[in-house]
Amino acid sequence: MGTSYQNRELQKGWKTSVYCWKQKTKPTLPFAPVTLTLTAAATEGATTMTVTGAPAAAIEKGNVLLFVDSDELAYLAEITTDSTGGALTVRALAETIPSGATAMWPPELLDRTDAEISRTVDTTDTQTFNTGGNKLITTTTSSRSLSLPGPYMLKNGGYWTAFFSAEEKVALWFAIQHEAPDQDLGTIKEAPFIAKGYVTDNTTSAAADGFRMGDLSVDITGAPISDFRVVGIAA
């Protein structure tokens, strides 16, 4: 009874975060997003900026970072040259980003209404019997795809990273992280789903007096390097 109650309470509190980023090398595990902090104000028109907290791997050209300042105002910075060690080369900034503003790395895909993973296994018939319609089958290939619908915000680093990747026909890494609060254990996180994929549909729409929609569809290439693991079951 207690376990059933706990499961219901956890189900109510689930939070799902989706991250997408461009990176040539395979991400290291365990998956651990980091916070980048701007060390000095980056003025409008600047093409370089310096941050602390940068990952060991380069932040590559094509990623779009979303910085947020102490007043919760948002700013975008598009990486134009593979950058390491916290020295970032960016497209000329449209506005000044204050010192101390922070950005999540990898970029988070904000404002999703859903994060669906389709998992299918293809089969082929090896023998069909005349009685009862019985048949024998074998599996051939498995495939995965993501559906990430929802309204998008103008300043959404993850969304623009994904949008431009489709235009450039390059693959991104996608991570989907589930977590839930627990009064005894603190925050419980599942092992995330992490895989490489191509954005195959980045259709946008804008209803009159409604939300602008930026639905994304993604086809996964290869096997995930990490997949969901139920809490309490060893990998």
Side-chain angles (χ1 to χ4, degrees), residues 89-215:
T89 301
V90 298
R91 189 177 302 280
L93 297 175
E95 53 192 335
T96 296
I97 306 178
S99 176
T102 59
M104 176 72 71
W105 175 260
E108 186 174 357
L109 191 61
L110 300 174
D111 220 18
R112 296 295 91 200
T113 57
D114 196 0
E116 176 184 296
I117 304 176
S118 173
R119 306 165 188 267
T120 61
V121 177
D122 296 327
T123 62
T124 185
D125 298 351
T126 59
Q127 189 172 358
T128 301
F129 298 92
N130 292 328
T131 56
N134 297 319
K135 62 182 179 180
L136 298 177
I137 64 174
T138 60
T139 58
T140 52
T141 59
S142 61
S143 60
R144 300 170 183 84
S145 61
L146 308 180
S147 177
L148 303 169
Y152 69 86
M153 297 180 292
L154 176 62
K155 294 182 176 178
N156 185 339
Y159 174 78
W160 290 114
T161 297
F163 183 90
F164 291 131
S165 78
E167 303 301 307
E168 297 167 5
K169 300 179 178 63
V170 297
L172 297 179
W173 288 98
F174 289 85
I176 299 177
Q177 175 80 73
H178 293 323
E179 59 184 78
D182 181 87
Q183 62 182 7
D184 299 317
L185 303 176
T187 299
I188 295 175
K189 288 188 177 183
E190 287 185 340
F193 173 90
I194 305 176
K196 197 172 190 178
Y198 291 86
V199 175
T200 56
D201 190 342
N202 60 347
T203 299
T204 60
S205 62
D209 301 319
F211 289 112
R212 290 178 298 174
M213 303 299 290
D215 298 347

Side-chain angles (χ1 to χ4, degrees), residues 22-66:
K22 183 180 177 184
Q23 182 173 317
K24 298 182 185 73
T25 58
K26 184 183 294 186
T28 56
L29 298 175
F31 179 67
V34 298
T35 299
L36 310 178
T37 303
L38 190 62
T39 60
T43 58
E44 179 181 347
T47 56
T48 60
M49 54 199 307
T50 302
V51 298
T52 59
I59 299 179
E60 297 180 9
K61 174 183 177 181
N63 287 295
V64 180
L65 303 178
L66 172 67

